[in-house]
Amino acid sequence: MTIGVVGLGAAGLRTAMLLEKLGVDVKLFEARGRPGGRLHCVDEGGGAIYEAGGEWIDSDHFRVLNLLKEFGMEPTTPGDWPRKLVYRGKECTEATIWSDALEDDLRVEAAAREMCRDLTNPPWSNTHASEFDDRRLIDFIREHTQSERGLWWVNSKYRSDEGDDLENIGLLGWLCGFLHYLDRDGDVMSAYRIPGGSRQLCEKILASLKTEPQFQRTLLRVQQDPGGVKLIFEDGEEWVDHVILTLPPTALERVVFEPALTPQRRCAIEACRMSRAIKICWEFKEPWWQNEGWGGSMMCDGPLQQTWDSSVGSAPILTAYICGDEACRWLALGDPVRAGLYELSRIFPECSQYFERGWVHNWLTDPYSPGAFSHMAPGYVLEHMKHISPPEGRIHFAGEHTALWTGFIEGALESAERVVEEFTKR
Ligand SMILES: Cc1cc2nc3c(=O)[nH]c(=O)nc-3n(C[C@H](O)[C@H](O)[C@H](O)COP(=O)(O)OP(=O)(O)OC[C@H]3O[C@@H](n4cnc5c(N)ncnc54)[C@H](O)[C@@H]3O)c2cc1C
């Protein structure tokens, strides 16, 4: 039996590893000229190395941590600098957060915990909670915050996690994600990074595979018949017994299936929304933020939204991570790097003198992942979510959008385990 794996992001790479361990023959295809997909560690030369895509690992993302361990990689920690919060020209740190913002944060968390008591995973099993599915996360947060500053803080925190404005996020999907956090001990968000950058991990996975992947092979059509699956790429055809498609939903939408996928699946793929998140990265001559006793991590109420020190190599790099409508506004500018530096200098006037060069990473129009990562829009969970992952004949589906850890690298790995189990349990 030969299984084709299309898409060599985290889900496809892990799927290939697991199938080869079972002794299965695989054929591996990827549209880009590199592995990793939305794991994209960029080396601009001169020590300027940073993650343009997935970057942070929470301390309970055990699949990612175990994978690193398997390759003898020790995750790095960001250092013990408190995050700066800037609101209406006033500053504090996350450790000394304004009491009104803290109270609102705790109020939202307590309400979410209470609502989670009647919820279970998978999310679509919560048919009794349809009123949550129809609600928007922003309305829930507005209801449970009392100060403007608290609303800004809680909104910023969860927008960063979801990668889009909370007007676009359904409450039930978000609460089912929150279920993961109920047993968390302390603050485990964004606890680690991949040592040396995600490229090193992808290269190590590739080196561990027996099968040579085929890059620059863009899948256009999938023809399934009782004897097997024909994969039609831009540059030729391949036959496999089964195929695992790990393409993001917005890329999957463009593939033609013969016979057509079920209407439920088609609707689930089209209704699965991708977040609008971009990164603006600036290289500086010196890590000026460290000279001031600050780690570079900030949340602000201005258009930059959020920054952190993202240096993977020797050059100091600060990244702004911007989500939602604001991301689209930045992309409409002629020179987001310079405009962003100007915004940064309004908070930190000294930064301009250290500036070297910068880059923007626009995932919204990426040809193979239009959008940063998936989120659950209002109404998605109960109407569509259960239709996105089950196999359809010889065609199987993986990728972060098919997982319970939706949106995360952890979810991509989770989906790899689930899709491989579909074969072992047959
Ligand atoms: C800006 C940004 C920040 C993020 N931050 C974090 C973070 O801090 N922590 C975290 O856990 N996650 C984060 N993520 C999300 C994380 O990167 C993804 O969830 C994960 O990498 C997705 O892996 P995947 O294998 O499911 O999909 P992908 O990595 O997208 O892999 C799918 C592959 O399919 C290929 N493909 C697409 N179309 C075709 C075609 N027609 N033919 C052949 N191949 C095709 C693509 O090129 C790609 O390589 C972030 C993502 C972005 C973009």
Side-chain angles (χ1 to χ4, degrees):
M1 178 170 73
T2 303
I3 300 181
V5 179
V6 186
L8 293 180
L13 289 170
R14 183 66 179 149
T15 302
M17 277 178 78
L18 294 174
L19 288 174
E20 281 197 350
K21 273 187 193 154
L22 292 173
V24 177
D25 283 335
V26 291
K27 284 186 176 179
L28 308 175
F29 307 100
E30 164 59 47
R32 300 180 207 257
R34 60 165 181 86
R38 282 170 279 164
L39 288 182
H40 185 27
C41 184
V42 184
D43 185 343
E44 304 282 2
I49 307 172
Y50 57 88
E51 300 285 1
E55 182 164 355
W56 296 99
I57 308 164
D58 293 358
S59 63
D60 55 358
H61 287 177
F62 298 116
R63 292 178 181 88
V64 188
L65 294 171
N66 285 336
L67 187 62
L68 292 178
K69 208 164 167 191
E70 206 172 322
F71 289 105
M73 299 170 83
E74 188 68 35
T76 53
T77 49
D80 220 5
W81 312 83
R83 174 153 60 182
K84 221 185 250 288
L85 309 184
V86 181
Y87 181 75
R88 302 248 164 116
K90 298 218 162 41
E91 280 185 22
C92 70
T93 69
E94 206 168 339
T96 60
I97 186 169
W98 302 287
S99 58
D100 52 359
L102 178 63
E103 279 162 24
D104 278 340
D105 194 356
L106 294 174
R107 214 174 276 120
V108 168
E109 205 182 305
R113 277 180 183 274
E114 185 58 31
M115 289 160 91
C116 278
R117 279 158 62 111
D118 291 332
L119 301 179
T120 48
N121 267 318
W124 58 85
S125 64
N126 299 293
T127 46
H128 58 287
S130 59
E131 78 277 16
F132 294 168
D133 200 24
D134 294 335
R135 280 193 81 188
R136 306 180 310 169
L137 177 54
I138 190 68
D139 297 324
F140 164 75
I141 288 179
R142 284 200 182 112
E143 188 187 329
H144 294 282
T145 48
Q146 293 180 356
S147 67
E148 243 181 75
R149 197 155 52 182
L151 176 60
W152 161 74
W153 165 238
V154 180
N155 185 27
S156 306
K157 218 171 81 159
Y158 293 121
R159 180 185 55 209
S160 163
D161 222 19
E162 297 296 325
D164 212 309
D165 298 321
L166 303 189
E167 282 79 354
N168 299 324
I169 311 296
L171 181 57
L172 180 59
W174 179 78
L175 285 170
C176 290
F178 199 84
L179 281 173
H180 292 300
Y181 304 157
L182 292 183
D183 301 327
R184 277 186 168 176
D185 197 9
D187 195 1
V188 297
M189 301 281 275
S190 308
Y192 301 112
R193 275 194 275 214
I194 301 174
S198 58
R199 203 172 58 173
Q200 297 231 359
L201 175 64
C202 296
E203 278 168 7
K204 280 179 193 267
I205 297 177
L206 275 194
S208 77
L209 295 175
K210 290 196 290 283
T211 313
E212 194 70 40
Q214 302 181 33
F215 290 107
Q216 281 164 338
R217 300 216 64 187
T218 303
L219 182 69
L220 301 178
R221 299 173 93 85
V222 178
Q223 290 176 348
Q224 175 174 205
D225 67 36
V229 183
K230 184 159 60 162
L231 302 173
I232 302 167
F233 295 89
E234 264 176 1
D235 61 342
E237 298 173 0
E238 301 277 346
W239 276 96
V240 289
D241 296 298
H242 296 265
V243 67
I244 297 172
L245 302 177
T246 73
L247 285 54
T250 39
L252 202 53
E253 253 180 66
R254 298 173 181 165
V255 176
V256 176
F257 290 86
E258 293 165 327
L261 296 174
T262 60
Q264 290 96 326
R265 163 114 38 207
R266 194 83 231 164
C267 291
I269 293 170
E270 283 170 17
C272 186
R273 294 272 168 267
M274 296 287 276
S275 291
R276 297 165 298 163
I278 62 163
K279 287 184 174 177
I280 303 178
C281 306
W282 302 279
E283 180 188 345
F284 294 97
K285 290 186 192 78
E286 278 182 36
W288 49 269
W289 51 96
Q290 288 180 17
N291 303 340
E292 296 170 9
W294 170 51
S297 179
M298 172 190 67
M299 286 236 185
C300 69
D301 59 345
L304 285 181
Q305 294 185 349
Q306 188 173 4
T307 65
W308 60 72
D309 181 335
S310 56
S311 330
V312 177
S314 55
I317 295 184
L318 205 65
T319 285
Y321 172 69
I322 305 163
C323 310
D325 286 347
E326 198 68 78
C328 298
R329 281 194 278 273
W330 278 103
L331 292 176
L333 297 177
D335 186 353
V337 169
R338 285 276 169 189
L341 186 71
Y342 170 73
E343 273 301 326
L344 196 65
S345 71
R346 281 162 44 111
I347 309 173
F348 308 104
E350 64 283 20
C351 73
S352 312
Q353 60 182 299
Y354 297 108
F355 174 66
E356 288 271 79
R357 51 187 179 151
W359 307 271
V360 185
H361 283 275
N362 172 8
W363 288 95
L364 280 60
T365 55
D366 183 282
Y368 306 115
S369 173
F373 45 91
S374 66
H375 66 253
M376 289 170 252
Y380 176 78
V381 169
L382 295 183
E383 174 104 27
H384 299 293
M385 195 178 180
K386 71 169 172 225
H387 301 298
I388 200 130
S389 55
E392 211 163 308
R394 294 168 175 271
I395 307 173
H396 298 250
F397 298 87
E400 55 82 11
H401 59 288
T402 68
L404 298 183
W405 279 103
T406 314
F408 293 99
I409 307 164
E410 180 75 3
L413 302 186
E414 176 203 322
S415 76
E417 289 173 10
R418 191 255 313 142
V419 82
V420 169
E421 239 181 64
E422 288 172 8
F423 291 96
T424 53
K425 286 202 168 155
R426 272 144 52 103

